[in-house]
Amino acid sequence: MNKRTWRPISLGTLAALLLSLITVIVGPLVAASATTFDMTGNTLAFNHTNLTATITRVATSNGVITYTAANSFTAGQLVTITGVTSNPVNRFNLANVIINTASSTTFTVLNAATGTYTSGGTATQLNDYRNVVGTGVANGDQVLYYNVATISAGNTVDAVVTTTTSNTTVSAFDGESAVPGKPGYFQPNLTLSGTNGKAVFHFAFYEHGTYTGSNTGTPVVLNNVTISSVDLDNGGSGYQFTEFGGFQQYTLTNNTMLTPAVVTGTRLERFTTRETANLADVPQDMVQVTYLTLSSIDVAVGLVGSSGAIGYFGISFSALPWGASITDPVVGSPTTIGPRAITGITTSGGTVTYTTSANHGFSVGQSVTVTGCSTSGYNGSSMTITTVASTKKFAVTKAQTGGSCPAGSATVTIPGVVTPAIGVSNVDNPANVAPTTSNTTAILTAGTATVITKNDLGAASFVDGDSNPFYKVKITGLPASGSFQHRIAGTWQNVTSNEEILTSDIDLENLRFTGSDAVHIKFRVHDGLVYSTDEYDLGITITNRSQTITFPEPGTRAVGVTFDSGVSSDSGLDVELVTTQTGVCTIVNGVQIRTGAEGECVVTASQRGNDTYSKATSVERTVHVSGRLAQAVTFADPGRQILDPNPKTIASNATADSNLTVQLVSQTLGVCTVDSLNINLIAAGPCEVWAKQEGNATYASATTIKHNFDV
């Protein structure tokens, strides 16, 4: 099948998108090729503790520096060395260098520095986080967290947190003041410098190891994310709050102490405490919000109160265990009145009136038990008092007549007070508005099955006022001719009227069209809560000529070089190169690539077609920019596989020319899994497997080889 990219958006659409960013909270949509992780049952952990070691000696030899220090470091991790005095000065203080080897007493790095060690020094292995800009407490500071989530073997996520403050000071960027013993929570401390202030923390998520600085990194998409803001109380002079936008639902306890409200002039929901005291972490001071999908998000925390007020905040990127009921009903102990001695009775019309020797203290509606009457018909348990004629008379409904009760007794039992169970309530985002998009067009090749992308169905101009994501489409009008199909569980099926299709399914190339005539497809877009009010049109025109892009693998390049991409189309039309990682590489002169910093840079080549040629299948290439040696992975496409036997195991035979071990990663665990260098086929459908080699101190990471084949 042909896979295409979309034409550039119009200036008008671009302006609309820029205006929509005024209140954007969830990050922009990333490329369809971005890795998507399902966070159901998974937690994002923001650990802010790196390993440190005290340096006692430094030696150099043949481009290797050996530091003597008792440590538990790991080769391949980054390390920063500070505080070493030497002659010449500052020879052995290094930032963000790779540990070459490590033992319990020494570690080495590759560096040509020479000199004489004098004293001191601390080594910090950046296993949990790295300060990219500042330390996180000031405006514009950035902190990179490593491995905040491990979805499966080889699938790990890093996060970059950027700080913006307003009328507050971040006194601690990420400690454990709000919820001690929970290092995976993100826990900032704020001090209010006005009467209403906040700090906004922007979380952006990337494939592990790809973010090296501004405008770098390969974004990932996280699905089904739950975020819990906990311990929203009052330290005595400030009411704490948190703000979210673009979510699908929020959840509060039935006895919540938080007041939700839309922030005036925005699409943000603020949750402000009504507590007047500083409490321990309790359910009624917590809110949970859920997102169907995101690649970045802003989380705001703040205070309303007196200048100088202090707030401790805890953000957990997980669904905390509330369950259906936070507490069970609590039944208090019953109390009794009596016993009271009975001296006589009277009966009338089905009512028995008892006379007591002293004031009984009973009330209408209470439950009374009478025992000891010589006529047993006057005895009874849990009878309801219907009237109280005097302080010594009470009556119940009873049909007994005759006989007597000269020496009975009466006791009232008052049940204990029942405290009802505390549950939780889910509320759809009150700030939600219906999304909009624009009509689209596409030029396809006659008789060729061609992938329909999200951009074909309005993604490029999708706008949602409260920043919800583009979640799914409804096909409201079918093409008059041709074959419009959706692949479900590995089988292509004709799309039906009003069929709903997830955008995540479209990203997996599970929607296609084949035809020979111009047609129209009608659709509506959905933001996870509601569909667009308007119906939109995909207009398909047909040409008899296709085109193919040739884009050689760029491999690993040094920093600061410009090279020809070698990109071309067999149509002779100009090919467009685009990258979003402009901190690592940029496009110059249309078809050349210039490297700017170490890291990975994904470049997309596209050709949108014209009246003669249909759109070309877009081609992505990754430029690895490094001062280390290059390496390449060899991994042949397994091709179409028959699931016989079931399950079935095939060898990948993946290798690296560096002789380092290649790692296989499955992106479709429901269809295929991996075991070392073998691929286990377990179900029918599309299987996507990546072969990765992330390098070491000598070799740079290799270009990841990705194959998607049918089982």
Side-chain angles (χ1 to χ4, degrees), residues 532-556:
S532 57
T533 303
D534 294 333
E535 181 182 65
Y536 298 97
D537 179 87
L538 164 59
I540 295 176
T541 57
I542 300 296
T543 179
N544 289 320
R545 303 190 68 178
S546 63
Q547 60 173 322
T548 301
I549 290 174
T550 299
F551 188 5
E553 286 285 357
T556 299

Side-chain angles (χ1 to χ4, degrees), residues 454-536:
K454 283 192 307 190
N455 284 337
D456 294 335
L457 297 170
S461 52
F462 179 89
V463 175
D464 188 84
D466 54 310
S467 307
N468 288 133
F470 184 14
Y471 182 60
K472 62 183 177 181
V473 296
K474 178 185 287 186
I475 305 301
T476 54
L478 297 173
S481 63
S483 174
F484 186 30
Q485 294 184 311
H486 180 199
R487 181 164 53 183
I488 302 173
T491 302
W492 287 103
Q493 303 177 21
N494 291 331
V495 175
T496 58
S497 180
N498 292 319
E499 182 172 343
E500 297 180 312
I501 304 172
L502 297 177
T503 54
S504 58
D505 210 19
I506 298 172
D507 285 342
L508 293 174
E509 302 182 12
N510 285 332
L511 194 63
R512 71 182 183 184
F513 178 80
T514 309
S516 301
D517 300 307
V519 294
H520 292 269
I521 296 173
K522 303 291 185 180
F523 62 94
R524 281 188 164 89
V525 293
H526 195 275
D527 67 355
L529 287 174
V530 296
Y531 275 105
S532 57
T533 303
D534 294 333
E535 181 182 65
Y536 298 97

Side-chain angles (χ1 to χ4, degrees), residues 239-271:
Y239 294 90
Q240 293 181 215
F241 66 82
T242 188
E243 290 177 0
F244 295 95
F247 56 89
Q248 269 60 53
Q249 285 188 327
Y250 70 76
T251 305
L252 297 170
T253 65
N254 293 342
N255 67 337
T256 184
M257 289 300 291
L258 304 181
T259 300
V262 176
V263 180
T264 303
T266 75
R267 292 290 176 181
L268 305 178
E269 189 79 6
R270 176 181 287 191
F271 302 87

Side-chain angles (χ1 to χ4, degrees), residues 5 31 33 217-218 549 551-555 563 565-567 575-582 584-588 590-595 600-606 618-625:
T5 54
S33 59
T218 303
I549 290 174
F551 188 5
E553 286 285 357
F563 62 95
S565 65
V567 70
V575 178
E576 181 184 23
L577 296 182
V578 175
T579 182
T580 58
Q581 286 99 19
T582 54
V584 177
C585 74
T586 54
I587 309 303
V588 295
V591 293
Q592 291 182 311
I593 301 171
R594 178 165 181 78
T595 60
E600 289 187 347
C601 174
V602 177
V603 179
T604 301
S606 61
S618 61
V619 179
E620 282 188 354
R621 295 289 184 252
T622 300
V623 183
H624 295 275
V625 184

Side-chain angles (χ1 to χ4, degrees), residues 101-289:
T101 62
S103 69
S104 61
T105 57
T106 64
F107 67 92
T108 66
V109 300
L110 301 181
N111 191 284
T114 59
T116 302
Y117 171 76
T118 303
S119 64
T122 300
T124 303
Q125 178 179 289
L126 308 178
N127 48 286
D128 281 346
Y129 74 97
R130 175 167 69 88
N131 293 324
V132 179
V133 178
T135 59
V137 299
N139 275 322
D141 280 4
Q142 285 189 340
V143 176
L144 170 62
Y145 285 85
Y146 298 108
N147 301 318
V148 296
T150 300
I151 311 303
S152 60
N155 280 330
T156 56
V157 178
D158 294 343
V160 177
V161 183
T162 305
T163 303
T164 304
T165 62
S166 174
N167 294 327
T168 58
T169 300
V170 180
S171 52
F173 174 70
D174 185 9
E176 289 186 42
S177 299
V179 191
K182 296 291 184 180
Y185 289 13
F186 179 72
Q187 300 193 53
N189 299 347
L190 301 187
T191 301
L192 187 60
S193 55
T195 58
N196 187 337
K198 65 183 179 181
V200 180
F201 298 98
H202 178 76
F203 295 80
F205 301 98
Y206 298 92
E207 288 185 16
H208 172 61
T210 63
Y211 186 88
T212 56
S214 180
N215 296 318
T216 68
T218 303
V220 297
V221 175
L222 306 179
N223 289 342
N224 302 313
V225 179
T226 298
I227 305 174
S228 304
S229 184
V230 303
D231 199 36
L232 294 167
D233 52 27
N234 192 319
S237 56
Y239 294 90
Q240 293 181 215
F241 66 82
T242 188
E243 290 177 0
F244 295 95
F247 56 89
Q248 269 60 53
Q249 285 188 327
Y250 70 76
T251 305
L252 297 170
T253 65
N254 293 342
N255 67 337
T256 184
M257 289 300 291
L258 304 181
T259 300
V262 176
V263 180
T264 303
T266 75
R267 292 290 176 181
L268 305 178
E269 189 79 6
R270 176 181 287 191
F271 302 87
T272 306
T273 186
R274 300 191 304 275
E275 299 281 13
T276 57
N278 185 18
L279 304 178
D281 178 26
V282 293
Q284 60 264 33
D285 293 344
M286 176 172 71
V287 58
Q288 289 187 351
V289 292

